[in-house]
Amino acid sequence: QVQLVESGPDLVKPSQTLSVTCTVSGALITTSRIYWSWLRQPPDAGLEWVGAITYAGDTVTNPSLRARTSISRDTTKNQFTLQLNSVTPEDTATYYCARSTKLPTSSSGRDWSKYTHRGQGTQVTVSS
């Protein structure tokens, strides 16, 4: 059974770096043709696809966030991590990781039906 669990700080100060990690069990993040995404949903707003890392370790990010986003992985721990730099209160959201069999785009990635598995989400607040 594939499970994804997000972890990270509850509170980040403005201008700092937000870092959240997804730990995957029941499947390897290096499995061929599987894609691992980060999504977020601010309070009272819709779902936004942030970016993804492929089974090969390549990354794709939402153009609107590309300048501030880095996605990496640790295959020894079967984890992948999102780092978002220079955060502002507008980055306050619940952050989710998810698995898919096709590489999402900033448009298709906003649809939960595109994913086979997802984590429960972790709430991150940006505030001083």
Side-chain angles (χ1 to χ4, degrees):
Q1 181 179 359
V2 180
Q3 291 187 320
L4 294 82
V5 178
E6 302 92 346
S7 59
D10 297 330
L11 182 66
V12 181
K13 291 183 175 355
S15 81
Q16 292 188 341
T17 296
L18 178 159
S19 182
V20 287
T21 294
C22 184
T23 301
V24 179
S25 60
L28 294 178
I29 61 173
T30 54
T31 300
S32 184
R33 301 188 185 281
I34 299 297
Y35 306 90
W36 305 92
S37 286
W38 284 104
L39 303 94
R40 67 180 187 177
Q41 186 162 18
D44 301 320
L47 192 64
E48 180 179 33
W49 178 75
V50 177
I53 188 163
T54 75
Y55 55 94
D58 300 315
T59 58
V60 182
T61 52
N62 188 322
S64 69
L65 296 168
R66 185 167 296 154
R68 300 193 291 130
T69 301
S70 175
I71 300 175
S72 60
R73 68 179 184 175
D74 185 337
T75 58
T76 65
K77 296 180 180 179
N78 214 39
Q79 295 175 332
F80 60 105
T81 297
L82 167 69
Q83 288 190 314
L84 187 63
N85 302 321
S86 304
V87 297
T88 72
E90 285 67 41
D91 294 309
T92 293
T94 299
Y95 285 78
Y96 300 92
C97 56
R99 174 190 183 273
S100 63
T101 57
K102 294 183 180 180
L103 184 62
T105 66
S106 55
S107 177
S108 70
R110 295 177 294 178
D111 181 355
W112 277 125
S113 72
K114 304 300 184 187
Y115 303 95
T116 62
H117 300 81
R118 53 177 276 194
Q120 79 287 355
T122 185
Q123 172 72 40
V124 181
T125 299
V126 179
S127 175
S128 55

